[in-house]
Amino acid sequence: MQLWNSKALLLAAAAIDAASAHTTFTNFFIDQAPQGDGTCVRMSNILPHATDPIRPPTSPNMACGVNGEKGVARVCPAKSGSSMTLNFRDWPDGSQPGSLDKSHMGPCAVYMKKVDNSAADNNAAGPGWFKIFEEDYDNSTAQWCTSKIMANDGKLSIKLPTDIAGGYYLVRPELLALHEADKNPPDPQFYVGCAQIFLESTGSAVPKDTVSIPGHVAMQHPAMTFGVWNRPKQISFPQFGPSTYQSGSSKRDIESRTTQSKQTVGLKPANCIMENDNWCGMTLPSYSDEKGCWASSQNCWDQNKECFDSAGPVGSKNCKNWESYCTSVQQGCKSGNFNGPPSASSFMPAPLSRLSMPGSGNVAASSAETEGQSGDSAKATAETAPTTAPPSGDDSSAQEGSVNTCGSNGGLKPPDLLTSEAPIHLRPYSSHESPEPVYATTIHPSYALQDPASTIYLASPRSLPVRLLSPFFPSILASYPLVSKTTEEYIAPNSLLFSSHDPYTFFAGSLNLISTFDINRNGGGPVERMQTVPSKRSKVVGGIGGVKGIVSALRMSSEGILAAGTFSRWVGLYDAYGRGGSLGAFELQGDSSSQETGTGVTQVLWSADGRYLCVAERCSDGVSIWDVRGTGKKLAWLRGRKAETNQRLGVEVVGDELWAGGVDGRVRVWHGLGEKEGVVDPTWEFKAHEVDAISSATWHYSGSVLATCSGQRHSDDVPFSVEDSESSAPNPGARKADNSLKIWGFE
């Protein structure tokens, strides 16, 4: 039972990224003091879409978000020069951790606007906004501002100006996610909200460099199409909006008679005993007889209804406390206790915690994981050797029968990983042994070492059920048997993939079969079996012909099309996020004159817009590009990959580029994915490893750190093979082994 509880916690956290991947401004702190979830914050009233971005930048919702023209009841006081920490959440009610998807890289800013009454309606959109903070790409840490916010648990801290006039203000944080900005059409995604504050200040300054929102930026501005995926990193971000206000400059003074020195609106009522969002539970009327008791009980329930009715995206958890209090009052009336009301102290929610000062160990560690090393356009900052690679995000093979997750001297991450010039020897801090070779692994999309509860992955050992594992749990969390209907033997999938649509679903590819599993069904078989080769009858009545062979690669597009590649050189496409019918299939037929050949699919990847499908094979010198959404035909052959081996050598699509390593120890890059037809040579390349094949070249989400891994079987290795699978046969002419991992900093 304890194992199952652990698994339930893992699955709850693992759904974070897939459930939303967006964010919203939910609460804030003044001088580290919490103001309350949703308190003094204007938020969307469309709860299912509360975390959706604002688009386009000229939207009337750009000022304070959806429903942003509607003031809330509370206004929070703050002093000039105070620190203000703005908190963003992926789950507005805080029921799950997470702030923003790691792909959502971009700048951030904070604006203010002086208004007559922060709690009034229809005062957000329009002129008067001035900027008090902005940050884009930090070269010293190789991070975007949004990446720093993610590493700091969704928090952005600023200082309020010291000399501006006192009074009512709206404070507007603005995050801009640019991960889709370079697409056609561009899709810059803004995340905004507004806090209502009263600024206590003896100053009289009014910033004169102000703008109208919407109107501070247009789609034609180069910032709206800035490519955060560009390699090498494009670091000069074209800023927009007004210049940042600095106390003591760029100002004009106003007469002291127009300065508001005392807050009169939005104060917490004196008889408010419990809060939820901007709702206040008021002290109940006292009573000494039955009639008064029931009247007070009704008053309590009326307030309870108002609490639930007014609850916004941050939830109604404190309304439930008030509901328990009302139940207690009602029970007293039923039992004849007509003197009251009783104290609400035992029903009060836990006190809100003060904010820890910035710079804690967790924040520092998260930041260090994304730091790069300045220098040449490609410079190795650290090398680790030897190590067995941790589970890959793509399907991979771990033929020795174990999966290791490594750190230095048993730690999660060597503190000098990105600065050491000397090799760092890694030791597994977690190792899951398997009695049989492992055919495939895949990690959950939300996998992040900063959140141990999200670190789950699947492994497929030969002749055994698929296993759910975590590097922080020594035991098997769950298992999922795939059994042959004819022989009743276990089938070991050769490919695994978590669904990008449903975090509790994964797919398993095997001989002529794609199986769908529910991760919550520990010990259960597939909920669906989809034969990739249709029956003869389905072909006769008009069914689409399928693909035959072991399904060796799986990948889902952004539009919900599942691509499945086989060792027999076929690719099938399936709709409805892999749960629908076949959309078609094609065979990989190459031109021998241009060496467009291969012996089986090892990887399929989609372009970010879901139009182009990249297919990598074993024993192949290139990668084929297919225009799936346009012509439905092969568009290009990316030549010169140098992957003439049975070993799986991974490729990666980053923006409009494809990165791949070869058996000669070089990394090659093809720019402009989908822009060129026919045979395309690499745009540029560099030597990454000296003597061995590069099995993987993958980018950190910060966009400036690249990891390359090398190693292969040699003549003294024990050969391993499975029927119609990749074999790693000994190479009599093999050179000295180079099983190493290198970290590269780009600028």
Side-chain angles (χ1 to χ4, degrees), residues 174-193:
E174 174 186 275
L175 308 187
L176 172 56
L178 294 168
H179 58 295
E180 300 273 337
D182 58 351
K183 303 301 181 290
N184 188 16
D187 184 24
Q189 299 178 10
F190 284 88
Y191 297 92
V192 302

Side-chain angles (χ1 to χ4, degrees), residues 541-558:
V541 298
I544 299 175
V547 296
K548 185 176 182 180
I550 290 179
V551 178
S552 51
L554 294 166
R555 185 62 65 96
M556 189 84 71
S557 79
S558 58

Side-chain angles (χ1 to χ4, degrees), residues 659-684:
W659 290 66
V663 295
D664 57 354
R666 301 185 73 83
V667 174
R668 295 173 175 83
V669 186
W670 290 263
H671 287 296
L673 186 65
E675 297 177 1
K676 300 177 182 179
E677 298 183 14
V679 178
V680 182
D681 291 318
T683 306
W684 69 288

Side-chain angles (χ1 to χ4, degrees), residues 154-364:
K155 295 176 177 62
L156 171 65
S157 294
I158 57 148
K159 286 285 187 181
L160 295 173
T162 59
D163 62 348
I164 60 175
Y168 296 95
Y169 285 86
L170 300 177
V171 181
R172 173 188 177 271
E174 174 186 275
L175 308 187
L176 172 56
L178 294 168
H179 58 295
E180 300 273 337
D182 58 351
K183 303 301 181 290
N184 188 16
D187 184 24
Q189 299 178 10
F190 284 88
Y191 297 92
V192 302
C194 283
Q196 301 179 172
I197 69 168
F198 181 86
L199 187 70
E200 301 173 9
S201 174
T202 59
S204 59
V206 176
K208 60 182 179 181
D209 191 1
T210 64
V211 293
S212 179
I213 300 178
H216 70 312
V217 64
M219 277 300 299
Q220 293 75 25
H221 195 282
M224 299 299 97
T225 56
F226 187 83
V228 294
W229 303 108
N230 289 346
R231 307 292 189 280
K233 189 70 185 176
Q234 184 180 352
I235 60 175
S236 181
F237 179 76
Q239 296 178 347
F240 58 90
S243 58
T244 303
Y245 176 75
Q246 302 292 334
S247 295
S249 64
S250 301
K251 65 183 183 181
R252 59 184 175 86
D253 292 340
I254 61 175
E255 298 179 13
S256 59
R257 62 183 174 82
T258 63
T259 300
Q260 297 158 306
S261 59
K262 184 176 181 181
Q263 180 179 355
T264 58
V265 175
L267 294 165
K268 179 180 177 179
N271 58 343
C272 174
I273 59 175
M274 190 181 299
E275 298 174 83
N276 187 85
D277 204 332
N278 292 282
W279 169 88
C280 266
M282 304 297 186
T283 303
L284 299 181
S286 59
Y287 52 87
S288 57
D289 55 27
E290 182 177 6
K291 182 179 179 180
C293 184
W294 286 110
S296 190
S297 173
Q298 185 60 49
N299 179 286
C300 189
W301 286 111
D302 290 343
Q303 293 192 61
N304 183 68
K305 182 179 184 302
E306 182 183 352
C307 183
F308 279 100
D309 289 346
S310 65
V314 295
S316 55
K317 46 185 175 290
N318 290 356
C319 300
K320 297 174 183 177
N321 291 61
W322 186 263
E323 184 176 48
S324 298
Y325 176 50
C326 295
T327 300
S328 173
V329 174
Q330 185 180 52
Q331 291 299 326
C333 295
K334 289 181 178 180
S335 61
N337 183 4
F338 301 137
N339 291 293
S343 171
S345 59
S346 60
F347 301 95
M348 296 296 291
L352 297 173
S353 301
R354 288 182 60 85
L355 180 67
S356 299
M357 292 297 291
S360 66
N362 288 338
V363 173

